Amino acid sequence: MQVHRCRFVDYVPQSINAIEFAPSTSAYPYAAVGRANGDIEIWRTKGNLVHEKTIPGMVNGSLETLTWAHQTQLTQDDLEIFDTPKERADATARLAESAPRLFSAGLNAIIVEWDLAKLVPKTAVDSYGGAVWCMATNHAQTQLAVGTEDGHIRIFDITNGSLVYKSCFNKVNSRILSVAWSHDDKTIVTGSADSCVRIWDAATRTVSVRMTLPKEGRDSTLVWSVIVLKNGTIVSGDSRGRVSFWNPELHVIEQEFRALGADVLCLTADETGHTVFASGVDPKITQFKLLAGGSIADSAANGVAGKKKLVIRPKKWQLAGFRRYHTHDVRAIAVSSHLENDLIISGGVDTQVAYCQARPFPNENPHRQP
């Protein structure tokens, strides 16, 4: 009698901590999925979601945040180097045709740029502030804002393929958990572990506005996620399970929703800024939509009988729906910046990548990838 011995790989799937789409300016329709052990999966998003390659993480690595960068405009120094319009046009064309750059960071206090062709680290620098909890690229794709354990925001210059420490903002007495740039790149919004959302002046590197969230009990509210919409509205998600929409001029909460039964860990918005998705420890994905109220009212009160006029009501955010695509905590969610793809991707502790079309949400059933 023959005996056959079979051995199987002891594969332990890792939770998903970050998901980011490549910038819409790039010709590469990629999405990066970061795992807790430092592995980064590159998925092609043209049509259906297709796994293309995996970048193995470093030994004893950690990954908490991912961001892409794709510079398309010349800097002031470049304009001085390239004198003629033809030279500037050729240099701009080279930037537009170049592949996007991918950065990752985590609790090991190292910021890494990855080589997408060779699947190895291209550049690695210290964060100079301990564990990195959040990271965001400005809209000009020239600077990287990093939030660290020691309460500082640090700016890294990433122009023309570089990754160089540039400046440090004033310190706050808690870790920086979330960071986002305004669309004009003049301000930076952060959420921290002391119940505060802060607006920073990018030029002076100081706090211009501090907005405080209420506590529940003695513990401070943790602001796990912040995003800035096109119209300047700031959206925050916190440990109370609430999503808050802040007025960009008065810096007060315009609307607040009890979105989840536990911490809101991640937020994302579509390209127009009219739809926001939230998820977290309560593994349902909640959708908010900005609705413009309009109704036909009788104008007889104005002395014009039988005529109608349109009364425009203020735009308000509404909880549009929710779905449960996961069984455990959702730690990352992203909406495609390529409008023709229109995908929403989420992932978390259950290790599965779930995706569906964003426009028909919540009526769309998800596709799941291990």
Side-chain angles (χ1 to χ4, degrees):
M1 182 178 64
Q2 293 182 343
V3 177
H4 296 274
R5 175 180 291 180
C6 296
R7 293 184 177 181
F8 298 93
V9 175
D10 187 15
Y11 173 69
V12 180
Q14 297 290 323
S15 63
I16 296 170
N17 283 356
I19 299 174
E20 285 291 334
F21 281 96
S24 57
T25 56
S26 168
Y28 297 80
Y30 286 149
V33 177
R35 301 276 179 172
N37 64 343
D39 292 352
I40 301 174
E41 300 169 359
I42 305 299
W43 297 73
R44 182 174 290 274
T45 61
K46 193 171 183 179
N48 293 327
L49 200 65
V50 179
H51 179 257
E52 188 166 292
K53 49 192 169 185
T54 298
I55 303 174
M58 296 184 294
V59 178
N60 298 323
S62 171
L63 190 149
E64 290 292 328
T65 179
L66 286 172
T67 190
W68 293 87
H70 185 233
Q71 182 184 352
T72 58
Q73 299 295 325
L74 299 178
T75 64
Q76 189 62 40
D77 293 339
D78 294 333
L79 295 176
E80 295 177 359
I81 295 174
F82 302 108
D83 298 330
T84 66
K86 184 179 185 304
E87 289 179 343
R88 294 179 179 179
D90 292 342
T92 303
R94 287 194 297 270
L95 287 176
E97 294 171 358
S98 62
R101 302 166 65 192
L102 179 61
F103 302 89
S104 71
L107 303 183
N108 58 356
I110 298 176
I111 302 169
V112 181
E113 179 185 356
W114 296 92
D115 190 316
L116 299 180
K118 299 179 181 179
L119 307 183
V120 295
K122 187 176 182 180
T123 309
V125 299
D126 195 277
S127 70
Y128 303 106
V132 176
W133 290 96
C134 54
M135 187 167 56
T137 311
N138 68 344
H139 291 83
Q141 308 290 299
T142 57
Q143 296 183 25
L144 192 65
V146 177
T148 55
E149 178 75 20
D150 65 351
H152 285 287
I153 302 172
R154 288 175 171 82
I155 303 297
F156 289 80
D157 183 12
I158 57 173
T159 57
N160 301 321
S162 63
L163 178 58
V164 180
Y165 173 79
K166 182 178 180 181
S167 61
C168 180
F169 285 30
N170 291 343
K171 182 179 180 180
V172 299
N173 295 322
S174 66
R175 65 180 64 150
I176 305 295
L177 297 176
S178 51
V179 63
W181 290 81
S182 64
H183 280 261
D184 59 6
D185 290 338
K186 293 181 179 180
T187 59
I188 298 175
V189 179
T190 62
S192 52
D194 60 354
S195 309
C196 290
V197 176
R198 292 177 174 86
I199 302 177
W200 302 76
D201 189 305
T204 63
R205 302 191 294 275
T206 57
V207 176
S208 57
V209 179
R210 187 183 71 175
M211 304 174 291
T212 305
L213 289 162
K215 299 180 181 179
E216 287 190 352
R218 295 184 177 181
D219 296 333
S220 297
T221 299
L222 308 179
V223 185
W224 288 113
S225 183
V226 292
I227 56 175
V228 182
L229 305 182
K230 276 190 172 181
N231 63 357
T233 299
I234 298 170
V235 188
S236 65
D238 56 55
S239 57
R240 302 174 300 150
R242 298 182 182 274
V243 173
S244 304
F245 294 85
W246 299 82
N247 186 294
E249 297 176 355
L250 302 178
H251 305 118
V252 296
I253 295 178
E254 280 190 331
Q255 291 180 261
E256 187 175 72
F257 297 89
R258 184 63 184 263
L260 306 175
D263 300 42
V264 176
L265 299 180
C266 49
L267 293 169
T268 189
D270 66 356
E271 187 75 9
T272 64
H274 294 163
T275 305
V276 172
F277 296 92
S279 193
V281 175
D282 180 359
K284 68 181 180 182
I285 299 174
T286 305
Q287 181 191 56
F288 300 93
K289 284 191 173 182
L290 183 63
L291 301 180
S295 64
I296 302 299
D298 197 338
S299 60
N302 296 331
V304 185
K307 292 187 177 180
K308 308 288 183 179
K309 70 176 181 178
L310 182 64
V311 178
I312 302 298
R313 297 173 181 171
K315 294 182 179 180
K316 292 290 184 181
W317 289 95
Q318 300 289 339
L319 198 159
F322 66 88
R323 287 290 298 271
R324 293 184 183 273
Y325 291 166
H326 298 272
T327 58
H328 295 76
D329 304 11
V330 177
R331 294 184 176 176
I333 185 170
V335 175
S336 173
S337 55
H338 295 266
L339 293 179
E340 64 274 13
N341 295 334
D342 185 37
L343 287 179
I344 176 172
I345 305 178
S346 59
V349 176
D350 65 1
T351 73
Q352 291 188 331
V353 178
Y355 70 97
C356 66
Q357 297 295 315
R359 287 191 181 91
F361 183 93
N363 300 320
E364 184 83 1
N365 291 323
H367 301 274
R368 292 183 175 87
Q369 300 280 4

